[in-house]
Amino acid sequence: MVISAEILQATLEHFFLAYTALLAGIIVAVPLVLLSLYSERLASLVMKFSNLVQAVPSFAVVAVVVPLIGIGFTPAVIAIMLRVLLPIVKNTYIGLFNVDPALIDSAKGIGLTEFQIIRNVRLPNAYPAIFAGVKFAAILANSIAVLTALIGGGGLGSMIFEGLTNFNTAKILAGTLPVIAIALFLDFSFSVLEHRLTPEYLKNET
Amino acid sequence: MKFKKLFNRIESIKLESVTKSYGDRFAVRDLDLEVRGGELMILIGRSGSGKTTTLRMINRLIEPDSGRVSINGANVEDFDPVRLRRSIGYVIQNIGLLPHLNVSGNIGLILKLEGWDQAKIRERVSELLNFVSLPPKSFMDRYPHQLSGGQQQRIGLARALAMDPPLLLMDEPFGALDPLLRTQLQDEFCKIKKELGKTIVFVTHDINEAFKLGDRVAIMDNASLVQVGTPEELIFEPSNELVSEIVDSKRKYRHMEALKVRDMMQSLDSGYFLEGNMPAEIALRKMVDAGLEVAFVFKESGTVGKIPLNEVLKAGNTGKSLNDISKSLLVFPADASLFEALTQLKEEGESMALVLGGEMPVGLLFSDRVLQGLV
Amino acid sequence: MWNGGCLSEIPIINDVLTEVQRVWDTQLLSLRTLEHLYMFTIALFVSILIGIAVGVLIYRSPKLADPVLNGLNVVETIPDVALLVLLLPIFGIGAGPTVAASILYSILPITRNTYTGLANVPREYVEIAEALGLNPGEVLMRVRFPLALPLIAGGIRIAVVFTMGVVTLGGLIAAGGLGAALQNGIQLYDMGTILVTGAWVGLLAVILDGGAGVIENRLKVRYGTWS
Ligand SMILES: Nc1ncnc2c1ncn2[C@@H]1O[C@H](COP(=O)(O)OP(=O)(O)OP(=O)(O)O)[C@@H](O)[C@H]1O
Ligand SMILES: [Mg+2]
């Protein structure tokens, strides 16, 4: 009983941590991408940087946050956010830029403004890619939120690491299983959503 | 070598009531066609008429639903498809080359699989490159994307020839090239065709290409064979509207009736005429000096005789005169109808006639030159 | 080597170099780096072997493709720490579960790209190969596989990143490597150790990823504009 209350508490903390960070990531990513829409150079810079940082191991990112910001909930959120930012930015960007140039030309031809083109042509086209980016980010956030227990983020990760130091198998499992359950749940529900939300005309393309 | 060619010579390729359909549509329907050994058979027709399908049934890239395809009398189904294809060269339009292999890799691919050693492959590749007029040194190591369209097409041909197959299947090999390059490659191909001495089945869209290269032309429409024949046969005896449309005889030969022999003759120098009573040995000297392959004599009967150089040679010192060895020759007045003249030439099995302006010989009419002039 | 040159005349740089030297020595970073690369190499090598083999297998028996790829996808969604922990009972503690988890993670991108690459070779190339008289095995080995190589290399590049990430985590379960130094830094709350090790791991990862990228691009360029 005690254990189950503890698990519930930890799970809630974990969720709160991961998804505060995800939300923050989305909020930061959107203006960044929109800005880069107006400057090719900024855009390619963002892409290069994203690709570079994506190669750095999560553990290193999480650890380096400590000397820079400290420990606790906020640094944990920031660490997760840094990590999920990149897939979102990258996917959104790919979606927005991989539009058939002929489509853009014809949109210009019928007199749409730059903004209207982004709104009516680029965004709808980018939609599946953005969705995939967010899905990936959500699953990643769940994963890194475990790691941030090392820097005082709390949640299910704390249970796992406590269990590891005390050789307490029950505790380890009590932390691990919910984390895995969350991951599978996310993967499943995003897939369902994806199928629901994909407009008909895009469905047979993939 | 682990592999022996299935055939070294093509006697004939026979397609007998061959049918292939996709769903409820026929790609090829009840088609009968015989390709004779050594000839270049053209398949021509509108897009979707079944040319490629027909071609591919020969090397079993496509299996017919019914009917029989045989080479030298043997059903192709009895051959192992891999061995069959290695005995047949295949050239296609456009991206026929494998992009991950360089030129010698592409040309030598089958040789390598056949277990040839490296040095022998290199030698053969050089030989083939020379044959298609590309200097081996500068082309061997290039990748397909570093070649122009025309060069790629030449490499494609070289690759098809690697195993020295007696039969070549070519599917619009020049189809993707610009007109100038196309003409150039056709001309070259015309020349090497004789050297090759192979049986070739050649698909094209282009009637000019068909007449330029083909010994015989098979016209396909709507999955069926409409007519097979030499270019002359198709032009002068089209079996239906479609054929005349394809060979374009309506437009180009509409005025055939109006044309006179004079319009299409080659003018003739008086140096071609010799005295009828001249002994052969003297005539021989004269002809050789003047570089003549053929000479003419007026005969007492008022007709004209033709004396080819080889006949003069044969007569040698027998003391025969030109009159004795001359052959009779068809004669047309310069204002005779061209159409009738050609028809008569054909009936007599002759390829050449003399043209008279009044009493005087003014020119020669060659049936094949006329066709080329018209096309 | 840190003492030579004129850069060390500048006080801040001098401080940084001294700190790097300290961390490098106390945390045995040379040894840690070797351990790290050792695990990385073994894990990546095995992943490539298994990944390509499975990719070819599901290409040959397409019925298996969906179940295998979905299964690998599930493994992929499991958080890396959780996967490591789950492997502890099987492999004990240390390098065993670390390498195993790296492999489990890295198989998917390689398998997926191998499969996609083999299956999506343009029909024309396969047809011309068949027309020339290549048998099915030769078409696979001489045409499909080489043409899929750029994509397979792309999958391996992703695997490089995954492997690097998991091997670093190995420090948490006594596998050694640079993760162990990071772990020490966090536990001792030693900022210098965290920064120096973190930067070194990051640099190493970026270099390896970059190297893989160069190979991938070479292959693409060699095959022309086709991608
Ligand atoms: N694999 C296939 N599946 C379905 N239909 C096919 C297939 N291959 C060919 N066809 C159909 O069969 C008919 C004949 O095709 P084929 O390729 O032989 O024509 P073609 O004369 O070579 O045309 P083109 O000049 O355009 O190359 C066409 O209507 C085509 O659509
Ligand atoms: Mg065709």
Side-chain angles (χ1 to χ4, degrees), chain B residues 51-52 171-172 203:
Chain B
K51 308 179 294 288
T52 298
D171 196 346
E172 301 193 39
V203 171

Side-chain angles (χ1 to χ4, degrees), chain B residues 329-354:
Chain B
L329 179 68
L330 280 175
V331 178
F332 298 112
D335 55 357
S337 145
L338 179 64
F339 185 77
E340 275 164 24
L342 283 174
T343 313
Q344 201 179 337
L345 268 174
K346 200 161 176 249
E347 272 166 12
E348 308 273 328
E350 290 285 341
S351 63
M352 169 203 282
L354 187 77

Side-chain angles (χ1 to χ4, degrees), chain C residues 160-174:
Chain C
V160 164
V161 172
F162 283 6
T163 306
M164 204 58 193
V166 178
V167 165
T168 311
L169 278 183
L172 296 174
I173 56 164

Side-chain angles (χ1 to χ4, degrees), chain C residues 15 48 54 65 67 81 92 99 103-104 116 119 126 138 142 155 157 172 179 193 199 219:
Chain C
D15 288 352
I48 292 174
V54 175
V81 177
V99 170
I103 293 170
L104 279 175
T116 317
V126 175
E138 288 163 347
R142 307 249 169 201
R157 185 179 177 187
L172 296 174
T193 297
L219 286 172

